[in-house]
Coordinates of all heavy atoms in Angstrom, one line a residue:
L66 N -7.9 10.9 -19.3 CA -8.3 9.5 -19.6 C -9.5 9.2 -18.9 O -10.3 8.3 -19.4 CB -7.1 8.6 -19.0 CG -5.8 8.7 -19.8 CD1 -4.7 8.0 -19.1 CD2 -6.0 8.1 -21.2
R67 N -9.9 9.7 -17.8 CA -11.2 9.4 -17.1 C -12.3 9.8 -18.1 O -13.3 9.0 -18.2 CB -11.2 10.2 -15.8 CG -12.6 10.0 -15.1 CD -12.8 10.9 -13.9 NE -11.6 11.0 -13.2 CZ -11.5 11.3 -11.8 NH1 -12.6 11.6 -11.2 NH2 -10.4 11.5 -11.2
E68 N -12.2 10.9 -18.7 CA -13.3 11.3 -19.7 C -13.2 10.4 -20.9 O -14.3 10.0 -21.4 CB -13.0 12.8 -20.1 CG -13.1 13.8 -19.0 CD -14.6 13.8 -18.4 OE1 -15.5 13.7 -19.2 OE2 -14.8 13.8 -17.2
T69 N -12.1 10.1 -21.4 CA -12.0 9.3 -22.6 C -12.6 7.9 -22.5 O -13.3 7.4 -23.3 CB -10.5 9.1 -23.0 OG1 -10.0 10.4 -23.3 CG2 -10.4 8.2 -24.3
F70 N -12.5 7.3 -21.2 CA -12.9 6.0 -21.0 C -14.1 5.9 -20.1 O -14.5 4.8 -19.7 CB -11.7 5.2 -20.4 CG -10.7 4.8 -21.3 CD1 -9.5 5.6 -21.4 CD2 -10.7 3.6 -22.0 CE1 -8.6 5.3 -22.3 CE2 -9.7 3.3 -22.8 CZ -8.6 4.1 -23.0
S71 N -14.8 7.1 -20.0 CA -15.9 7.1 -19.0 C -17.1 6.1 -19.3 O -17.8 5.7 -18.4 CB -16.5 8.6 -18.9 OG -17.0 8.9 -20.2
D72 N -17.2 5.7 -20.5 CA -18.3 4.8 -20.8 C -17.9 3.4 -20.7 O -18.8 2.5 -20.9 CB -18.8 5.1 -22.3 CG -17.7 4.9 -23.3 OD1 -16.5 5.0 -22.9 OD2 -18.1 4.6 -24.4
R73 N -16.7 3.1 -20.3 CA -16.2 1.7 -20.2 C -15.7 1.3 -18.9 O -15.7 0.2 -18.5 CB -15.1 1.5 -21.3 CG -15.6 1.3 -22.7 CD -14.4 1.5 -23.7 NE -14.1 2.8 -23.9 CZ -13.1 3.3 -24.8 NH1 -12.4 2.3 -25.4 NH2 -12.9 4.5 -25.0
I74 N -15.1 2.3 -18.1 CA -14.5 2.1 -16.8 C -14.4 3.3 -16.0 O -14.2 4.4 -16.6 CB -13.2 1.4 -17.0 CG1 -12.5 0.9 -15.7 CG2 -12.2 2.4 -17.7 CD1 -11.3 0.1 -15.8
E75 N -14.4 3.2 -14.7 CA -14.3 4.4 -13.8 C -12.8 4.5 -13.5 O -12.2 3.6 -12.9 CB -15.1 4.3 -12.5 CG -14.9 5.5 -11.7 CD -15.8 5.5 -10.4 OE1 -16.2 4.4 -10.0 OE2 -16.0 6.5 -9.8

Side-chain angles (χ1 to χ4, degrees):
L66 289 168
R67 180 187 316 205
E68 292 301 316
T69 300
F70 287 88
S71 61
D72 60 337
R73 285 165 280 179
I74 187 172
E75 184 176 18

